[in-house]
Amino acid sequence: MTQRSMLSAWVRTLCLSAAAAVVLLPVVLTIVNSVMTEREIHANYDMLGKSEAHERVNMKLIPDWVSFAQYGKLLIQTSQYLEMFWNSVFMVVPIIIGQTIMALLAAFALAKLRFPGREPLFMLYLMTMLMPFQVTLVPNYIMSDKLGLLDTPGAIIWPGIFGAFGVFLLRQFMLQIPDAYIEAAKMDGAGVLRIFGTIVVPMVKPGAAALVVLLFADYWNMVEQPLVFLHDDALQPLSVILSRVQEGTLGVLFAASVLYMAPMLLLFFCMEPYFIEGIELSGIKG
């Protein structure tokens, strides 16, 4: 490696490290503030009125005293948080499972099966995916009302299961599978379902993992759908209620934010290798 290329690599590393630090700083501050005492949090953000300008902010990365009292108050005394947390889980998990299964089946048909109208059908999928969510709000609302799903979790779960993004992602991934594998299986007498279950599905595990992570990030943070389709506050997910669980204390709000981020972070760290491989092989560029 030449000196110039080494210098270029160092510059790129420094730039990427700086960008990563900027992106991660809010997450780190949220975690650190969640284990501070309430008095220290208020002092750091000048909510005690110590500064004459009332605009001083002290972003500390090491707390003076570690306290988990706000977590106890959030999980034990604030029952609303756990109720909304499980509302989110019971909406997001069926959507992820359902859309992954539907996407695997539809993507296999659109990528590896030959039938009349296959390409126009895929273009129709793309058109529905490219339409802004706000465009489909009114039709989905009317349909949910006609089917009796309005103000129930089904109004969010069923449209989510039949989303087009998973089909697009997994189809792009399946296009990378050589047709020779499928032709060889057909020569051995394997049927379509056997080819799908024993050849295609195992080879698209990275793509399915990437889809699971992306779907979780999308629907775990959903706001518009619950606000439109769910009128009962008891059915609202945590993404909508998060700002209301602070009980007048910043420490509880920081703790709630950390616990809200935790499932997404854990899922990403557990599936990171599959996620990166799936995005690379699908042909999607950021």
Side-chain angles (χ1 to χ4, degrees), residues 182-256:
I182 297 178
E183 296 299 329
K186 289 181 179 179
M187 293 179 62
D188 290 338
V192 174
L193 292 180
R194 186 177 177 184
I195 293 173
F196 173 75
T198 60
I199 296 178
V200 176
V201 172
M203 296 185 70
V204 298
K205 283 183 179 179
L211 176 62
V212 168
V213 174
L214 294 173
L215 287 178
F216 189 90
D218 186 20
Y219 286 98
W220 187 255
N221 297 313
M222 61 182 172
V223 175
E224 296 93 343
Q225 298 97 315
L227 289 176
V228 173
F229 298 116
L230 302 178
H231 302 150
D232 188 356
D233 285 346
L235 298 175
Q236 295 288 356
L238 189 57
S239 53
V240 175
I241 305 296
L242 184 62
S243 61
R244 308 180 198 172
V245 300
Q246 62 193 52
E247 296 292 330
T249 59
L250 279 177
V252 173
L253 182 57
F254 280 122

Side-chain angles (χ1 to χ4, degrees), residues 154-207:
I156 296 175
I157 293 174
W158 286 110
I161 289 176
F162 295 98
F165 174 73
V167 178
F168 168 73
L169 179 67
L170 294 184
R171 177 186 178 273
Q172 298 303 109
F173 195 92
M174 290 182 185
L175 290 176
Q176 312 298 323
I177 301 176
D179 292 335
Y181 291 168
I182 297 178
E183 296 299 329
K186 289 181 179 179
M187 293 179 62
D188 290 338
V192 174
L193 292 180
R194 186 177 177 184
I195 293 173
F196 173 75
T198 60
I199 296 178
V200 176
V201 172
M203 296 185 70
V204 298
K205 283 183 179 179

Side-chain angles (χ1 to χ4, degrees), residues 48-169:
L48 298 179
K50 293 182 177 180
S51 173
E52 295 182 359
H54 300 287
E55 295 178 353
R56 180 176 62 84
V57 174
N58 183 20
M59 295 188 296
K60 297 174 61 176
L61 296 180
I62 300 178
D64 294 334
W65 184 266
V66 176
S67 172
F68 295 95
Q70 48 268 33
Y71 285 97
K73 183 176 181 181
L74 177 68
L75 298 176
I76 298 175
Q77 300 180 17
T78 310
S79 60
Q80 185 185 30
Y81 181 87
L82 288 178
E83 293 174 1
M84 301 305 108
F85 179 87
W86 288 114
N87 284 349
S88 295
V89 171
F90 292 144
M91 290 182 196
V92 174
V93 172
I95 290 175
I96 293 176
I97 295 175
Q99 186 171 153
T100 301
I101 294 174
M102 296 300 299
L104 283 168
L105 294 170
F108 174 67
L110 293 172
K112 296 301 179 183
L113 300 182
R114 292 182 175 87
F115 56 89
R118 185 182 70 170
E119 296 304 321
L121 180 60
F122 178 64
M123 293 303 299
L124 182 62
Y125 263 93
L126 287 183
M127 290 175 60
T128 59
M129 187 182 73
L130 294 176
M131 281 192 295
F133 171 75
Q134 291 77 7
V135 174
T136 61
L137 269 179
V138 174
N140 283 341
Y141 185 93
I142 295 174
M143 186 175 297
S144 298
D145 189 24
K146 296 294 184 181
L147 295 176
L149 297 175
L150 201 61
D151 210 23
T152 68
I156 296 175
I157 293 174
W158 286 110
I161 289 176
F162 295 98
F165 174 73
V167 178
F168 168 73
L169 179 67

